[in-house]
Structures are given as C-alpha cells and as structure tokens.
Amino acid sequence: MARCPAILIAAPASGQGKTTVACALARLHARQGRQVRVFKCGPDFLDPYWLTLASGAPVHQLDLWMTGEADCAQRLHAAAQDADLIIVEGVMGLFDGQPSAADLAQRFGLKVVAVIDASAMAGTFGALAWGLQHYREGLSFAGVLANRVASPGHAVMLEDSLRDPAQWLGALMRNEALTLPERHLGLVMDHELGDALQRLDAAADALAATRLGQMSGDDLQAWAVDFQGRDAPAQDFPAGALQGHTIAVARDAAFCFLYAANIDCLQEMGAELVYFSPLADDALPDCDALWLPGGYPELHGQMLSANSTMKSSITAHVQAGKPVWAECGGMMALFDEIIDTDGVSQPMWGVLPGRVTMQKRLAALGPQQLYMPGGTLRGHTFHYSTCATPLPAARRTQAAPGRTLRGEGEALYVSGPTGAVKASYFHAWFTSSPAAAARLFLKDDHD
C-alpha cells in the first residue's frame, strides 16, 4: 500500500482549461520542491509534453480499457511511493467516453477538481458545479475552479452561486498569456515555443492566488489516497524478444507522437533505441528496424521532400527487407504524396503507392484494437486525412468493446520485398500486447 494526495483535474467539456490548470498546479508544486507525478487520462500525445515540462517527470497515460486497470494500478502505486502529489488530467468532459475520467476517478478514489470556463455565465456556474458533483454517487468531489473569469466582481457572483461554499477553489482571470496554443490535432508542442516555461510560470503564479494553489501540507493530505499495487499482467512474449535489435525511432517536429510507455516496453524487451530526425539528418542510423510514429508530416512536407538523402536511406532500408512500423503521420510520409487543404501536392517518400489528402474535418476518432500475430494491440485513431492506395488492407482494426465504428476499421497495410513494412492510421499501445508489438519490429521469419 502507498498513500499520496491525488486529484483528477476534470471539466464539463473539452476546451475548459484542464491542461492549463493541471500544468499550473504541477509547476507550482514542483517549484516549491515537491515531487509531482502527472498522468493523462486517455490516449493523448500532446498534453503530456506540457505536463512533463511542468512537473519535471515523465507523463504516462491511464485508461481503464486501452492501458488496462492493472496497468493503471501499477503506475499509480509506483508513483505514490515517491511523489508528494499525483495529478491526473482528465479527458473531454468528466463523464464522456467509455470508460470516462469519472470511471477512472471512482475506481481509484481520486479527488475530482472541476475546471469550468465561467466566461459566459454567472448563477448557472453553481448549477453546473452541483450537477458535476452529484450526477454520480460515490464520486469524491474536491471542489470547483472558475476559469477565464472577467473580474473580481464576476468571481464573487460565481462563488455566491455555489450551494456549498467549501467547494470554491478560486478563480483564474481571463488572460491570453495563460492560454496554451492549439492546432488541428491539439496543443502546439512546448518545444515549438520559445516561451513555453514562462507561460507555465505565469499560469502557476496566477494559480498561487487561489485556494487550490495555496493548498499544501495538511490541506493536501485531506486528498490522500491509498494505492494498492497489483501483479503485472502476464507477458505473452519472452522478455528478451528484441534483445540485440536496434530500432531507429523518428523523433522531431514532424514525428513526435510517442508514448513514454511504448518506449519503455521496447527497451524492457531488450531493444536498443536510437533516435534520428527525418527533417534534419542525412540518413538513418545503423538499425535492424525502423519506427515512424505519428506527428505532423503535413506541416513539414517541403522539408521532408527536400531531404532526398533521407528518402534514399529509408528506401534502401525497405529494399533490404528490414522491418518498418509506421503509424498515422509516419504512414502518411511513406506514400507518394500529401495534398494539403488548399489542394497543393507535396511529394513524399514513395515507399507506399498512393496519396494522402488532408481535410478540415476530422476523419476518424476513437478507441480501437488490432488483432496481430502474437496478440491484440489496443489503441486509438485520430486523424484529419484520408489515403487512397491500390494496396489491399491486410487486416483492419475493430472497435473497442461497447463501441461502434463509422464504416470500416483502420487498414493495416503490409508492403515491401518481404512484407516487412507495416503501416496504419492506428496508434498502438504496446504494453497491451508486448508479443504483437515485438513482431512489428521483427522479420517475418520470426513469426
């Protein structure tokens, strides 16, 4: 058993300011010398960049389906042994999704702090806070923080609207300097901004003036949770499955959607990971396999296209029959071309025949699973493009239990001289099946 204060930063909907508040709280306590561990509820690659910067520690995902209840329990228990505070940032609205952030909070006894964008309300703020608190029995509600408040007078009206004054955790005034910039897939990454840490410090300073920001010591201990560790899920592949294998991992502004837990999983199976930049480097590093994660190739198409030596290096890797796992943005770069929302075409690497077309509307979103040799990989899909290719789908993802798909699941394309290139819009959570994950990076003769 490990005991630690733990809160879920939730909201009635997306766009209320959860990430800003979670980052501000983590940064505030980290500056005060406390060990802070932050987790992100649900599949998300971008918020963790900011949460990591704020807390100074790696940020992992928690999801009762994708990562699994036992995995969540393990990670929370491990964090509680060393941390002074655990912060979990929710996903969407508190009760949205199957499973929801509320499900996670209730399963592990997390105290819920609701962040509400109060910019266009007064008395209704109290009704919304009351509804979030009482909608479900057994949810431990810590209080509510008003965000984007117009003035001190506005804050008084909001506080007076609460039936229980003890639920008031303060107000953050409307301030564009505290806003984290966004684009079509979510937040702009912290390292793209020269003032990322200054933004977090400004948010932490603002939060320090609220009751939530002033809580410490005995106040935080009132939110302490006992976390019980669990036995690790059975591993269905030898621990040394990737021993002696070097995997080259693309990591730069164009390819940046990497779960920290996926990296850990490959390393625990013995893989050596070497990182490179398709934007800046001339060639792949020496490797046995290549991982092209998701990201924003559409925003960097001209640079990717201009780097002809990298294209040649990747082509040579494929022609040598070496494995490639390309997911979402990584797959997009492998096609012949990407067409942006203005209809402008940019040549890509030409490893896969066909083209990718960007669109302004979301093309697919939701939790899915992929049956592979060795097991079933859980994960999700989230993209604003479609692809047209003569390649047949070797297999397709299926919806998570209790969910339905709009049309067909995501295709898994298999190509290359030995079928070693595997590509899909699907983002995989490797620890859901280490066996299947390992096979993505091994030649077919290991199947």
Side-chain angles (χ1 to χ4, degrees):
M1 191 77 72
R3 186 172 178 82
C4 182
I7 60 174
L8 171 77
I9 303 296
S14 297
Q16 304 284 296
K18 294 190 304 290
T19 306
T20 299
V21 172
C23 285
L25 188 62
R27 180 64 179 160
L28 183 62
H29 285 275
R31 289 192 320 198
Q32 294 170 354
R34 296 186 181 90
Q35 296 295 317
V36 182
R37 285 298 310 275
V38 186
F39 294 90
K40 173 62 183 177
C41 182
D44 192 298
F45 296 103
L46 296 169
D47 291 0
Y49 279 101
W50 287 94
L51 297 167
T52 297
L53 180 64
S55 65
V59 173
H60 289 176
Q61 286 66 28
L62 300 176
D63 186 283
L64 290 174
W65 178 76
M66 187 182 80
T67 69
E69 184 176 329
D71 185 88
C72 293
Q74 285 177 290
R75 294 186 191 280
L76 287 168
H77 179 261
Q81 295 183 67
D82 301 315
D84 300 304
L85 175 64
I86 292 174
I87 301 169
V88 180
E89 185 198 341
V91 58
M92 301 182 293
L94 177 58
F95 301 103
D96 296 333
Q98 299 175 353
S100 66
D103 293 327
L104 183 76
Q106 194 159 12
R107 168 62 190 83
F108 294 106
L110 307 176
K111 313 301 180 183
V112 177
V113 171
V115 177
I116 299 177
D117 181 348
S119 58
M121 66 177 71
T124 303
F125 179 85
L128 188 53
W130 177 265
L132 291 172
Q133 180 179 2
H134 296 283
Y135 181 75
R136 178 185 293 184
E137 290 186 16
L139 199 63
S140 183
F141 201 77
V144 60
L145 181 81
N147 194 25
R148 300 170 188 148
V149 177
S151 66
H154 185 199
V156 171
M157 286 191 291
L158 298 170
E159 183 176 5
D160 288 346
S161 74
L162 297 177
R163 291 190 180 183
D164 182 0
Q167 297 295 326
W168 178 252
L169 294 177
L172 289 177
M173 297 298 155
R174 186 184 300 134
N175 185 347
E176 288 301 318
L178 306 184
T179 301
L180 304 182
E182 298 185 52
R183 59 164 67 101
H184 59 287
L185 291 179
L187 293 178
V188 172
M189 291 175 293
D190 63 304
H191 55 263
E192 295 183 59
L193 303 173
D195 64 346
L197 194 58
Q198 290 90 331
R199 286 172 183 260
L200 296 186
D201 279 329
D205 291 342
L207 191 68
T210 69
R211 181 182 164 218
L212 176 62
Q214 293 167 1
M215 296 183 72
S216 62
D218 291 342
D219 294 329
L220 286 179
Q221 287 305 315
W223 292 351
V225 177
D226 290 323
F227 292 105
Q228 178 67 52
R230 291 194 172 190
D231 293 336
Q235 298 293 313
D236 52 2
F237 209 89
L242 294 173
Q243 195 69 42
H245 281 69
T246 299
I247 300 174
V249 184
R251 187 169 66 178
D252 58 18
F255 304 96
C256 49
F257 292 177
L258 290 159
Y259 290 132
N262 279 2
I263 294 172
D264 292 344
C265 181
L266 296 181
Q267 291 176 329
E268 288 169 5
M269 289 190 289
E272 178 184 353
L273 305 185
V274 291
Y275 298 94
F276 73 102
S277 168
L279 291 172
D281 293 336
D282 294 332
L284 294 177
D286 290 337
C287 63
D288 302 293
L290 171 61
W291 180 11
L292 298 170
Y296 294 104
E298 69 275 17
L299 299 182
H300 304 275
Q302 189 171 0
M303 287 185 65
L304 291 171
S305 179
N307 193 349
S308 58
T309 57
M310 176 58 71
K311 175 181 177 179
S312 298
S313 181
I314 291 173
T315 299
H317 177 97
V318 172
Q319 291 176 344
K322 294 182 178 181
V324 178
W325 168 237
E327 54 187 37
C328 203
M331 178 186 74
M332 291 164 61
L334 289 179
F335 280 107
D336 293 320
E337 61 177 334
I338 294 178
I339 302 174
D340 67 20
T341 53
D342 294 323
V344 177
S345 173
Q346 192 68 56
M348 285 291 109
W349 293 332
V351 171
L352 301 178
R355 67 179 181 274
V356 170
T357 303
M358 298 300 303
Q359 59 186 41
K360 295 181 179 180
R361 298 181 60 183
L362 190 64
L365 169 68
Q368 297 184 18
Q369 56 191 355
L370 179 65
Y371 295 104
M372 293 285 290
T376 300
L377 286 166
R378 297 181 180 184
H380 82 289
T381 184
F382 181 36
H383 55 96
Y384 278 78
S385 70
T386 59
C387 69
T389 176
L391 288 174
R395 53 175 57 89
R396 288 187 178 272
T397 60
Q398 296 185 354
R403 304 291 290 266
T404 57
L405 294 176
R406 296 179 182 177
E408 296 181 300
E410 299 290 6
L412 174 72
Y413 299 112
V414 178
S415 185
T418 61
V421 178
K422 297 179 177 65
S424 179
Y425 273 119
F426 174 72
H427 292 284
W429 178 261
F430 290 168
T431 58
S432 60
S433 176
R439 290 174 184 266
L440 294 173
F441 302 98
L442 295 172
K443 292 184 178 181
D444 289 344
D445 58 2
H446 287 78
D447 284 350

